[in-house]
Amino acid sequence: MVNQSLHAPRLDVAKFNRRGQRIRVDARGLVKLGWFKKQEVEIRDVSAGGARLALPEGVLLPDEFVLRIPQFKHPRSCVKRWESGLEIGVEFKLE
């Protein structure tokens, strides 16, 4: 018989890596790239602190950019935090 007190409970590490709960969305956003150029992106999920975006193949975004989401009143300044294939995670900068 194994003594249960010797084993620490398992922690759900994923919940500690998020600032807020993510909400799945199916929306399009626009990334502003300079004065006249914009790139459409797919928004997969959003939280109070950031979002997960899907990019068209061959599109590279800078480390910092402005994202306009139709459901948000104001554009959000973003910092790229991670990349995996065609998806990126961004953090919304406080202004």
Side-chain angles (χ1 to χ4, degrees), residues 44 62 73 75:
R44 297 280 173 91
K73 188 174 183 177

Side-chain angles (χ1 to χ4, degrees), residues 31-52:
V31 173
K32 184 177 178 185
L33 300 169
W35 287 98
F36 301 106
K37 188 172 181 184
K38 295 176 184 162
Q39 175 63 54
E40 187 175 76
V41 297
E42 183 180 329
I43 302 163
R44 297 280 173 91
D45 58 43
V46 175
S47 71
R52 180 169 53 116

Side-chain angles (χ1 to χ4, degrees), residues 55 83-88:
L55 307 176
E83 281 183 78
S84 179
L86 298 176
E87 292 187 334
I88 67 168

Side-chain angles (χ1 to χ4, degrees), residues 11-19:
L11 295 176
D12 185 5
V13 176
K15 71 180 179 183
F16 294 106
N17 290 335
R18 303 265 186 251
R19 286 192 181 167

Side-chain angles (χ1 to χ4, degrees), residues 57-88:
E57 194 160 341
V59 171
L60 298 174
L61 295 181
D63 291 338
E64 294 189 22
F65 55 87
V66 175
L67 175 65
R68 180 172 288 281
I69 302 173
Q71 294 83 351
F72 288 7
K73 188 174 183 177
H74 302 289
R76 303 292 170 110
S77 295
C78 299
V79 177
K80 188 174 10 172
R81 292 297 182 201
W82 59 265
E83 281 183 78
S84 179
L86 298 176
E87 292 187 334
I88 67 168

